[in-house]
Amino acid sequence: MQITQQRYYTPEEYLELEEAAEYKSEYIDGQIIPMAGGTINHNRISLNLSAALNFAFRQQDYEVFMGDVRLWIPQKLTYTYPDVMIMAGKPEFFNNRKDIILNPQIIVEVLSKSTKGYDSEDKFHAYRTISTFQEYLLIDQTRIHVDQFSKTGKKQWTLREYDEEDEAIALVTVPFEISLQDLYNKVKFESVELQVESADVEGLG
């Protein structure tokens, strides 16, 4: 990820700049980092999951937020926009701002080539400092593959992988299940491959 400027911004400066910005950026310990634009596949996966979650939780005390809601991670001085967040009970808002959440129980990220390493390593490390955080899904948008991390104890997490269309993902910490077929509904993997190939060819030109 490319940093906009090598200078330190306060969290307050970041929020002020973000209010007026045309595109979203993350804030990581004083640095403002522009976020990559989403793809059609990214959008389809996020919508498929969020729609299923909202329907499943319509009579239950859980709430689902998509990528426009900001997450504040105090211990890492980080503001970020997870693709999907699930809260058990009522959301806790930072400084009474309705666009900044503090207490996700489950976080979901849809991976891209540019963010795959960051989402699975540095960002996961930051998320683990959140006391309410119990479960993490990493969804690949270029193939059928999902990594599911669930907390089993202090500093202990287990990993389960899914890579077959006839499998179903069952969340560990909330009552919810979705098949990979439904999760990847209308996702076109070949279009992603063609975009990558096209970008490679243009880069050689």
Side-chain angles (χ1 to χ4, degrees), residues 40-56:
I40 292 175
N41 276 354
H42 185 288
N43 190 64
R44 283 171 176 154
I45 292 168
S46 297
L47 282 174
N48 288 341
L49 179 59
S50 296
L53 286 166
N54 275 324
F55 182 79

mmCIF file of all heavy atoms in Angstrom, residues 40-56:
data_model
loop_
_atom_site.group_PDB
_atom_site.id
_atom_site.type_symbol
_atom_site.label_atom_id
_atom_site.label_comp_id
_atom_site.label_asym_id
_atom_site.label_seq_id
_atom_site.Cartn_x
_atom_site.Cartn_y
_atom_site.Cartn_z
ATOM 1 N N ILE A 40 -16.040 -5.717 -8.965
ATOM 2 C CA ILE A 40 -17.400 -6.256 -9.025
ATOM 3 C C ILE A 40 -17.505 -7.513 -8.172
ATOM 4 O O ILE A 40 -18.476 -7.708 -7.440
ATOM 5 C CB ILE A 40 -17.793 -6.542 -10.484
ATOM 6 C CG1 ILE A 40 -17.940 -5.220 -11.254
ATOM 7 C CG2 ILE A 40 -19.095 -7.341 -10.550
ATOM 8 C CD1 ILE A 40 -18.215 -5.395 -12.722
ATOM 9 N N ASN A 41 -16.496 -8.388 -8.262
ATOM 10 C CA ASN A 41 -16.524 -9.606 -7.455
ATOM 11 C C ASN A 41 -16.507 -9.290 -5.960
ATOM 12 O O ASN A 41 -17.206 -9.924 -5.164
ATOM 13 C CB ASN A 41 -15.338 -10.507 -7.802
ATOM 14 C CG ASN A 41 -15.614 -11.370 -9.020
ATOM 15 O OD1 ASN A 41 -16.720 -11.394 -9.553
ATOM 16 N ND2 ASN A 41 -14.608 -12.098 -9.466
ATOM 17 N N HIS A 42 -15.698 -8.334 -5.573
ATOM 18 C CA HIS A 42 -15.631 -7.902 -4.176
ATOM 19 C C HIS A 42 -17.009 -7.459 -3.703
ATOM 20 O O HIS A 42 -17.477 -7.851 -2.623
ATOM 21 C CB HIS A 42 -14.615 -6.764 -4.059
ATOM 22 C CG HIS A 42 -14.365 -6.301 -2.659
ATOM 23 N ND1 HIS A 42 -15.277 -5.575 -1.932
ATOM 24 C CD2 HIS A 42 -13.283 -6.457 -1.850
ATOM 25 C CE1 HIS A 42 -14.783 -5.302 -0.739
ATOM 26 N NE2 HIS A 42 -13.570 -5.830 -0.664
ATOM 27 N N ASN A 43 -17.671 -6.671 -4.520
ATOM 28 C CA ASN A 43 -18.992 -6.158 -4.175
ATOM 29 C C ASN A 43 -20.030 -7.285 -4.100
ATOM 30 O O ASN A 43 -20.858 -7.321 -3.181
ATOM 31 C CB ASN A 43 -19.426 -5.126 -5.210
ATOM 32 C CG ASN A 43 -20.675 -4.373 -4.794
ATOM 33 O OD1 ASN A 43 -20.679 -3.661 -3.819
ATOM 34 N ND2 ASN A 43 -21.751 -4.549 -5.558
ATOM 35 N N ARG A 44 -19.977 -8.220 -5.047
ATOM 36 C CA ARG A 44 -20.935 -9.323 -5.055
ATOM 37 C C ARG A 44 -20.800 -10.176 -3.801
ATOM 38 O O ARG A 44 -21.796 -10.551 -3.175
ATOM 39 C CB ARG A 44 -20.714 -10.185 -6.300
ATOM 40 C CG ARG A 44 -21.264 -9.565 -7.580
ATOM 41 C CD ARG A 44 -20.832 -10.362 -8.782
ATOM 42 N NE ARG A 44 -21.428 -9.843 -10.021
ATOM 43 C CZ ARG A 44 -20.897 -9.978 -11.230
ATOM 44 N NH1 ARG A 44 -19.721 -10.595 -11.356
ATOM 45 N NH2 ARG A 44 -21.501 -9.493 -12.287
ATOM 46 N N ILE A 45 -19.561 -10.500 -3.426
ATOM 47 C CA ILE A 45 -19.342 -11.348 -2.251
ATOM 48 C C ILE A 45 -19.815 -10.640 -0.987
ATOM 49 O O ILE A 45 -20.499 -11.240 -0.144
ATOM 50 C CB ILE A 45 -17.849 -11.734 -2.147
ATOM 51 C CG1 ILE A 45 -17.464 -12.668 -3.302
ATOM 52 C CG2 ILE A 45 -17.556 -12.400 -0.806
ATOM 53 C CD1 ILE A 45 -15.961 -12.872 -3.446
ATOM 54 N N SER A 46 -19.456 -9.373 -0.837
ATOM 55 C CA SER A 46 -19.869 -8.613 0.343
ATOM 56 C C SER A 46 -21.388 -8.531 0.442
ATOM 57 O O SER A 46 -21.968 -8.688 1.526
ATOM 58 C CB SER A 46 -19.272 -7.199 0.308
ATOM 59 O OG SER A 46 -17.862 -7.237 0.353
ATOM 60 N N LEU A 47 -22.046 -8.287 -0.689
ATOM 61 C CA LEU A 47 -23.507 -8.192 -0.692
ATOM 62 C C LEU A 47 -24.161 -9.546 -0.403
ATOM 63 O O LEU A 47 -25.140 -9.625 0.345
ATOM 64 C CB LEU A 47 -24.000 -7.651 -2.027
ATOM 65 C CG LEU A 47 -23.874 -6.140 -2.247
ATOM 66 C CD1 LEU A 47 -24.258 -5.775 -3.674
ATOM 67 C CD2 LEU A 47 -24.753 -5.380 -1.266
ATOM 68 N N ASN A 48 -23.631 -10.607 -1.013
ATOM 69 C CA ASN A 48 -24.183 -11.947 -0.777
ATOM 70 C C ASN A 48 -24.138 -12.292 0.710
ATOM 71 O O ASN A 48 -25.127 -12.780 1.283
ATOM 72 C CB ASN A 48 -23.395 -12.999 -1.565
ATOM 73 C CG ASN A 48 -23.660 -12.938 -3.057
ATOM 74 O OD1 ASN A 48 -24.649 -12.373 -3.510
ATOM 75 N ND2 ASN A 48 -22.753 -13.521 -3.833
ATOM 76 N N LEU A 49 -23.004 -12.035 1.334
ATOM 77 C CA LEU A 49 -22.848 -12.369 2.748
ATOM 78 C C LEU A 49 -23.718 -11.470 3.624
ATOM 79 O O LEU A 49 -24.429 -11.953 4.521
ATOM 80 C CB LEU A 49 -21.384 -12.254 3.157
ATOM 81 C CG LEU A 49 -21.084 -12.550 4.633
ATOM 82 C CD1 LEU A 49 -21.513 -13.964 5.004
ATOM 83 C CD2 LEU A 49 -19.609 -12.333 4.929
ATOM 84 N N SER A 50 -23.687 -10.174 3.375
ATOM 85 C CA SER A 50 -24.444 -9.236 4.210
ATOM 86 C C SER A 50 -25.945 -9.469 4.108
ATOM 87 O O SER A 50 -26.664 -9.406 5.117
ATOM 88 C CB SER A 50 -24.111 -7.792 3.810
ATOM 89 O OG SER A 50 -22.758 -7.508 4.055
ATOM 90 N N ALA A 51 -26.424 -9.756 2.896
ATOM 91 C CA ALA A 51 -27.858 -10.012 2.715
ATOM 92 C C ALA A 51 -28.282 -11.266 3.486
ATOM 93 O O ALA A 51 -29.329 -11.280 4.147
ATOM 94 C CB ALA A 51 -28.180 -10.167 1.235
ATOM 95 N N ALA A 52 -27.453 -12.309 3.423
ATOM 96 C CA ALA A 52 -27.775 -13.545 4.139
ATOM 97 C C ALA A 52 -27.728 -13.328 5.650
ATOM 98 O O ALA A 52 -28.569 -13.842 6.388
ATOM 99 C CB ALA A 52 -26.803 -14.650 3.724
ATOM 100 N N LEU A 53 -26.758 -12.573 6.112
ATOM 101 C CA LEU A 53 -26.654 -12.275 7.543
ATOM 102 C C LEU A 53 -27.860 -11.468 8.028
ATOM 103 O O LEU A 53 -28.449 -11.776 9.066
ATOM 104 C CB LEU A 53 -25.365 -11.503 7.821
ATOM 105 C CG LEU A 53 -24.058 -12.289 7.780
ATOM 106 C CD1 LEU A 53 -22.868 -11.343 7.720
ATOM 107 C CD2 LEU A 53 -23.932 -13.218 8.992
ATOM 108 N N ASN A 54 -28.212 -10.440 7.289
ATOM 109 C CA ASN A 54 -29.358 -9.605 7.689
ATOM 110 C C ASN A 54 -30.640 -10.423 7.766
ATOM 111 O O ASN A 54 -31.454 -10.246 8.679
ATOM 112 C CB ASN A 54 -29.528 -8.447 6.706
ATOM 113 C CG ASN A 54 -28.649 -7.265 7.044
ATOM 114 O OD1 ASN A 54 -28.429 -6.950 8.206
ATOM 115 N ND2 ASN A 54 -28.126 -6.610 6.028
ATOM 116 N N PHE A 55 -30.827 -11.316 6.801
ATOM 117 C CA PHE A 55 -32.032 -12.152 6.812
ATOM 118 C C PHE A 55 -32.010 -13.113 8.003
ATOM 119 O O PHE A 55 -33.007 -13.274 8.707
ATOM 120 C CB PHE A 55 -32.141 -12.939 5.508
ATOM 121 C CG PHE A 55 -33.381 -13.781 5.414
ATOM 122 C CD1 PHE A 55 -34.602 -13.207 5.085
ATOM 123 C CD2 PHE A 55 -33.327 -15.145 5.661
ATOM 124 C CE1 PHE A 55 -35.754 -13.977 5.009
ATOM 125 C CE2 PHE A 55 -34.477 -15.925 5.589
ATOM 126 C CZ PHE A 55 -35.686 -15.347 5.259
ATOM 127 N N ALA A 56 -30.858 -13.724 8.259
ATOM 128 C CA ALA A 56 -30.748 -14.693 9.351
ATOM 129 C C ALA A 56 -30.933 -14.036 10.720
ATOM 130 O O ALA A 56 -31.461 -14.654 11.646
ATOM 131 C CB ALA A 56 -29.399 -15.393 9.286
#
